[in-house]
Amino acid sequence: MNSKHRKVLAAVFADPVSGSIAWADIEGILVAVGCRVIEGAGSRVRFEKDGLIASFHRPHPEKEAKRYQVRDAREFLSKLGVEP
């Protein structure tokens, strides 16, 4: 995980939940920690690691993740044992 990933990870775990984190940055963190990306139909995407799966819809037309998506990503990263 590089320094940009660590900064985004800190933003994901910050309170209050930010609504200005780019979804691509969150995907970058998930890939950096070893998650496999499973593309679904439309904007659906799943991330799998060690038998744990998280499902998301990519935000559109905006590029920023919604607050609930940041919370869900935070919960998934915690389950994987990844925290800032």
Side-chain angles (χ1 to χ4, degrees):
M1 192 178 301
N2 63 28
S3 63
K4 180 180 178 183
H5 291 142
R6 284 190 287 278
K7 287 179 186 177
V8 174
L9 186 63
V12 167
F13 279 88
D15 282 322
V17 176
S18 176
S20 62
I21 302 171
W23 175 252
D25 293 341
I26 294 175
E27 279 194 40
I29 291 173
L30 293 169
V31 170
V33 299
C35 291
R36 183 171 61 106
V37 179
I38 305 167
E39 297 288 340
S43 63
R44 180 175 287 290
V45 63
R46 292 184 305 174
F47 298 92
E48 184 274 330
K49 182 177 182 196
D50 301 332
L52 294 173
I53 297 176
S55 296
F56 297 94
H57 284 276
R58 288 188 176 108
H60 53 82
E62 306 87 22
K63 65 178 183 170
E64 290 83 20
K66 308 247 187 303
R67 293 183 201 286
Y68 75 89
Q69 293 170 315
V70 175
R71 277 192 296 271
D72 291 348
R74 178 191 302 185
E75 182 181 324
F76 184 59
L77 287 164
S78 292
K79 286 180 182 176
L80 293 175
V82 178
E83 294 188 2

